[in-house]
Amino acid sequence: MTDLAAKRDTYVIPHHPVRELLTGSVASIALTFIVVLAVGLIWVGPKFLSFGNISIMGSFLIVPLIVGAFAGFALLSGVVDLSIGSMVGFSSALFALFLTLGWDPWAAAPVTLIACLGFGGINAIAIVGFGAEAIAATLGMLVALRGITWVLLGPQGSIFSFNPGLFALVNQSVFGLPLFFLLAVVLTLLTSLLVAKSRLGRHVQAVGGDDRAAARAGISVKRVRVIALLLSAFGGGLGGIVFAGQLGSAARATGVGLEFQVYAALMIGGYSILRGGVGNPIGGALGLLAVAGVSNILDLRAISPYYVNIIVGLLLLAAVLLDRFRGGDAYE
């Protein structure tokens, strides 16, 4: 009886091609994305995949794609950075303020990014240096950055910073699609290669998967998590600069709720908040595209956009269940 019980306890579910197809971090969202495309073509028609419609969706996805590509590094390292939305708002406000003071955009952008990296460094000191809980520390940073943003924007709550050259650049189209949307897609592919093929990417995944095993293997867990948090802050800063250039202004509402939009899409795309070391930037981008596709379908069919929240919630629940099926607490 003891031997039988031991065999049952050590039984491992064998790998199966169908199971891997349905539960793989990228494969599952790829299937979801294909379903969204099929529903759009059937319900809306060819207009759904027209250049004009894709261009509209692409212009709204530029900032989330940029932020998601970099925020994924924090998730992969086992850290949830809730301050990314406020980082976008702070970055857009600071960049817009510099433009109103007569700064050249190419000078204002690096200074703004350095400021964002500074706040990312504060996150890293709190979480890595002092061992604070990531959610609590970055939630505090979220509130602090939102307050700083309001101070920068002044009593009117917005800054008009229209720069003709910058506006033309950010809103430029290539082959009927927004240039910066295509650049965001290229950025996603590059970060995916970085995660899959580079030493840094392997170290980030190792630290998120099992930080003790990573430390025994000679990987500096603290250094990797600091880099991941700085990359997350950099992505938020870059997204804010693009946002300000795209709209020609900054406002209090900029970036509000973006962290939930991005993280919901990343989880739908195969990332995990339950554990690190799981996910791929391509899957996260497909998650954002799938959610945007659902929203666009409802918009074209003149259906209340509030149903998007219901659908995203169901997709998120499905993603959590798939993550548990893949072994969501395997590293805990």
Side-chain angles (χ1 to χ4, degrees), residues 5-323:
K7 287 181 180 179
R8 284 197 299 268
D9 291 339
T10 58
Y11 177 73
V12 178
I13 299 175
H15 291 285
H16 191 280
V18 176
R19 180 174 179 269
E20 293 298 324
L21 176 66
L22 295 175
T23 62
S25 61
V26 176
S28 55
I29 183 56
L31 291 174
T32 303
F33 182 64
I34 291 172
V35 170
V36 171
L37 290 179
V39 171
L41 287 172
I42 294 170
W43 206 11
V44 177
K47 180 182 178 181
F48 179 66
L49 290 181
S50 66
F51 273 99
N53 192 49
I54 294 176
S55 178
I56 293 172
M57 285 194 292
S59 63
F60 283 103
L61 282 172
I62 294 171
V63 173
L65 282 172
I66 293 172
V67 175
F70 287 100
F73 284 100
L75 280 183
L76 282 175
S77 72
V79 177
V80 180
D81 182 3
L82 292 179
S83 66
I84 54 175
S86 290
M87 192 72 74
V88 170
F90 164 75
S91 172
S92 66
L94 183 61
F95 182 69
L97 181 61
F98 284 145
L99 292 185
T100 60
L101 294 176
W103 283 44
D104 184 272
W106 298 105
V111 175
T112 301
L113 289 175
I114 290 172
C116 292
L117 288 173
F119 286 111
I122 295 174
N123 277 338
I125 291 172
I127 297 168
V128 179
F130 292 98
E133 286 293 330
I135 291 179
T138 56
L139 181 62
M141 182 60 71
L142 180 155
V143 176
L145 284 175
R146 187 58 59 188
I148 294 172
T149 300
W150 281 43
V151 172
L152 292 175
L153 294 174
Q156 292 185 344
S158 63
I159 296 177
F160 182 75
S161 58
F162 181 77
N163 182 287
L166 180 63
F167 183 83
L169 174 64
V170 176
N171 292 284
Q172 184 178 347
S173 295
V174 177
F175 304 118
L177 296 175
L179 171 62
F180 270 63
F181 171 67
L182 297 176
L183 291 176
V185 172
V186 172
L187 175 65
T188 299
L189 296 175
L190 291 176
T191 53
S192 181
L193 286 174
L194 184 64
V195 168
K197 301 297 183 180
S198 73
R199 182 181 180 184
L200 173 63
R202 291 192 294 271
H203 284 186
V204 170
Q205 292 179 86
V207 168
D210 190 333
D211 53 0
R212 294 179 182 177
R216 288 196 295 269
I219 298 173
S220 175
V221 174
K222 290 186 176 181
R223 181 175 64 87
V224 168
R225 284 190 169 148
V226 167
I227 292 173
L229 284 165
L230 290 177
L231 285 173
S232 181
F234 180 85
L238 186 60
I241 291 171
V242 173
F243 207 115
Q246 191 177 30
L247 299 180
S249 64
R252 290 176 178 174
T254 303
V256 173
L258 182 64
E259 59 275 0
F260 300 110
Q261 176 191 353
V262 168
Y263 279 133
L266 290 181
M267 288 188 66
I268 291 171
Y271 284 86
S272 175
I273 291 182
L274 301 175
R275 55 174 173 157
V278 178
N280 185 284
I282 292 178
L286 289 175
L288 284 166
L289 289 170
V291 172
V294 170
S295 176
N296 185 251
I297 290 171
L298 296 182
D299 184 51
L300 292 174
R301 295 292 299 181
I303 298 175
S304 172
Y306 297 116
Y307 285 101
V308 174
N309 295 331
I310 298 174
I311 297 172
V312 170
L314 293 174
L315 289 174
L316 192 55
L317 287 173
V320 172
L321 291 175
L322 279 174
D323 182 57

